[in-house]
Amino acid sequence: MSFKRFNLSEPILKALHEKGYHQPTPVQKEAIPQIISRKDIIGSAQTGTGKTAAFCIPILQLLQQGRRRRGIKALILTPTRELAAQVCDNLNFYGKYLPLRNTQIFGGVSQNAQVQQIRQGVDILVATPGRLLDLMGQGIINLKSLEILVLDEADRMLDMGFIHDIKKVIAASPAKRQDIFFSATMPKGVQKLVMSIMRNPVKVHVEGTSDAKADIHQFVYHVEKRSKHALLKHIISEKEMKNVLVFSRTKHGANRIAKNLNRSGIKAEAIHGDKSQHARQRALHNFKMNSTRVLVATDIAARGIDINNLPYVINFELPETPETYTHRIGRTGRAGATGSAFSLCDVSERGYLKRINRRTSRKLATVEHPFCQRITADKQLPVQKSNR
Ligand code: AMP
């Protein structure tokens, strides 16, 4: 099936062709026609499935006719600045032959350039909630002309405490509008929000984006806490990983992991909330250009990082919730490519591992390694050899 089936306009088809998208992904197949027919959508799809294009393409299609009216017609809320930048890049690309103006606003940088953009007129605005409310409070932005509201990664926004901000944005929007929510998981908070504002939303659920992603090989290494740094180096070297994303639970931990790897000659950079926007963008650029081999990130900083064909993800610590595990491993195995996710698990993290195994309905394969002898002998853990 090609994108032509959606009756998209020529300028959009041309941009998609240039981008090398020949056929829609499953989430795009389901969501694009529904959004074009002005339905409210609640989509459960992870990053990596093509969900950004699943809402950007139909929004561009819907709004291209209305350019003559002034004002913000679509607002896309994202939890992080990285994701806002990425969604805006997508819009700019798919809409490159359209006369629509897209812009992004987020905190952590001066507002001046953003205000200038807004004053020149914007059709589609991508924003993080804090900066948006700030500029609304200053009277620089109003949402009177809004037709479409998108919440991207709604579960993560609620996790990050944005619920009140989201409610304020909704209260400032016209009652008659189209709502589109995307969320990797559907916790109660998201369901409640959906029920409170949407009328008869169409549910878009994409098989294969569930927690047991078949295209991601998942492994666990049982290890003592103090041997984790040595094991991490061992995994990266043994598998000759050229490009690997390592997750750290804390900012301080991320710095320490990067420092240790650099000391052993493995080039690594850390990104987290204490780094400036500029430093984060630079680290991401270096990683994408392969001049940095390892990017160490906290969960919040990693949200929205779009790196194509990332083959490996390593969890230096297991996350406390299985949802976070799903988000993390979703960084690899994107858009049909295969990937591997490795988790380092010390004895204090066994409970988290159990929950992950339960959630993914399969046991992560346990890998034998040079630092596990004492642990396996002591604890009689089942060990499965792996060549990955
Ligand atoms: P997303 O889930 O939006 O983060 O997208 C994951 C990756 O898939 C991005 O790198 C997109 O550029 C890519 N992608 C999205 N749609 C398509 C498509 N129809 N064909 C090929 N790649 C795609």
Side-chain angles (χ1 to χ4, degrees):
M1 173 184 177
S2 98
F3 281 99
K4 287 196 177 133
R5 292 273 290 275
F6 302 130
N7 289 327
L8 298 172
S9 67
E10 269 314 312
I12 296 177
L13 287 173
K14 188 173 167 196
L16 292 177
H17 182 74
E18 276 177 26
K19 186 88 176 156
Y21 293 0
H22 301 297
Q23 50 186 29
T25 65
V27 66
Q28 292 162 6
K29 261 187 216 157
E30 285 202 43
I32 292 175
Q34 300 286 4
I35 297 175
I36 290 179
S37 58
R38 297 268 183 194
K39 298 271 179 16
D40 283 357
I41 295 280
I42 169 79
S44 79
Q46 275 173 244
T47 302
T49 54
K51 72 169 167 64
T52 314
F55 62 79
C56 288
I57 293 169
I59 289 175
L60 290 164
Q61 172 75 21
L62 284 172
L63 294 184
Q64 60 187 335
Q65 328 292 6
R67 176 70 189 109
R68 272 164 281 125
R69 284 195 305 106
R70 281 184 66 82
I72 297 164
K73 293 174 232 19
L75 170 66
I76 300 164
L77 285 181
T78 69
T80 63
R81 27 190 165 175
E82 282 80 8
L83 189 56
Q86 195 184 299
V87 170
C88 204
D89 284 350
N90 273 253
L91 283 170
N92 288 340
F93 200 99
Y94 311 138
K96 66 197 279 195
Y97 298 113
L98 293 175
L100 292 169
R101 290 176 58 93
N102 321 307
T103 201
Q104 50 183 310
I105 59 166
F106 44 72
V109 292
S110 154
Q111 70 172 46
N112 296 343
Q114 298 175 357
V115 171
Q116 218 174 331
Q117 292 277 329
I118 304 275
R119 293 214 159 113
Q120 283 168 8
V122 171
D123 297 294
I124 306 175
L125 179 66
V126 189
T128 53
R131 177 57 59 96
L132 173 68
L133 284 172
D134 193 356
L135 296 186
M136 283 166 66
Q138 294 176 49
I140 293 162
I141 290 180
N142 76 65
L143 302 178
K144 286 183 200 142
S145 314
L146 197 71
E147 295 171 26
I148 304 170
L149 173 67
V150 181
L151 282 198
D152 193 12
E153 307 205 345
D155 50 350
R156 185 55 46 157
M157 293 231 231
L158 300 197
D159 280 357
M160 288 169 72
F162 286 137
I163 181 76
H164 296 296
D165 290 354
I166 293 168
K167 284 184 175 162
K168 280 186 205 160
V169 172
I170 290 171
S173 310
K176 191 170 174 297
R177 54 164 206 274
Q178 183 179 13
D179 289 320
I180 300 167
F181 283 16
F182 271 98
S183 197
T185 54
M186 284 293 156
K188 284 214 173 71
V190 174
Q191 290 174 25
K192 233 169 108 183
L193 189 65
V194 169
M195 306 267 284
S196 69
I197 63 164
M198 286 192 184
R199 301 144 299 261
N200 285 330
V202 174
K203 292 201 175 88
V204 172
H205 177 75
V206 184
E207 293 302 327
T209 62
S210 65
D211 304 305
K213 287 188 79 167
D215 42 5
I216 302 178
H217 304 286
Q218 300 169 52
F219 302 95
V220 60
Y221 290 69
H222 291 282
V223 63
E224 279 179 285
K225 201 182 204 116
R226 64 191 162 102
S227 301
K228 280 194 174 184
H229 286 282
L231 175 59
L232 177 67
K233 270 181 260 167
H234 168 79
I235 297 173
I236 294 171
S237 311
E238 190 206 26
K239 299 188 188 314
E240 298 176 357
M241 295 179 177
K242 302 245 175 333
N243 219 219
V244 51
L245 180 61
V246 175
F247 282 95
S248 159
R249 199 180 292 150
T250 63
K251 299 171 194 169
H252 183 62
N255 287 339
R256 208 169 39 221
I257 294 166
K259 200 167 144 192
N260 271 318
L261 290 173
N262 280 316
R263 257 199 221 131
S264 344
I266 298 175
K267 191 144 188 277
E269 282 188 82
I271 58 166
H272 50 67
D274 285 352
K275 300 256 175 184
S276 69
Q277 180 64 9
H278 180 66
R280 290 205 232 176
Q281 295 290 14
R282 197 186 46 218
L284 190 56
H285 176 79
N286 291 343
F287 185 61
K288 283 188 177 181
M289 293 294 121
N290 287 334
S291 63
T292 300
R293 212 168 145 191
V294 184
L295 189 66
V296 190
T298 55
D299 286 302
I300 290 182
R303 296 301 297 163
I305 293 177
D306 177 39
I307 304 154
N308 282 329
N309 306 322
L310 185 65
Y312 302 112
V313 165
I314 299 179
N315 293 314
F316 192 80
E317 293 103 2
L318 277 175
E320 290 174 21
T321 64
E323 287 83 2
T324 306
Y325 178 82
T326 305
H327 278 300
R328 287 183 178 186
I329 67 162
R331 303 281 120 200
T332 178
R334 300 181 129 209
T338 56
S340 301
F342 304 93
S343 298
L344 277 48
C345 174
D346 67 42
V347 70
S348 70
E349 297 168 305
R350 297 264 171 87
Y352 303 149
L353 179 63
K354 254 194 206 152
R355 273 188 250 158
I356 291 165
N357 280 333
R358 215 177 301 133
R359 164 82 177 240
T360 53
S361 315
R362 66 176 183 197
K363 239 174 146 206
L364 303 196
T366 304
V367 184
E368 199 175 355
H369 59 87
F371 305 91
C372 74
Q373 277 91 357
R374 197 139 55 91
I375 284 206
T376 48
D378 290 350
K379 309 279 178 199
Q380 297 287 306
L381 286 169
V383 170
Q384 178 183 316
K385 284 201 173 177
S386 160
N387 296 324
R388 283 187 177 279

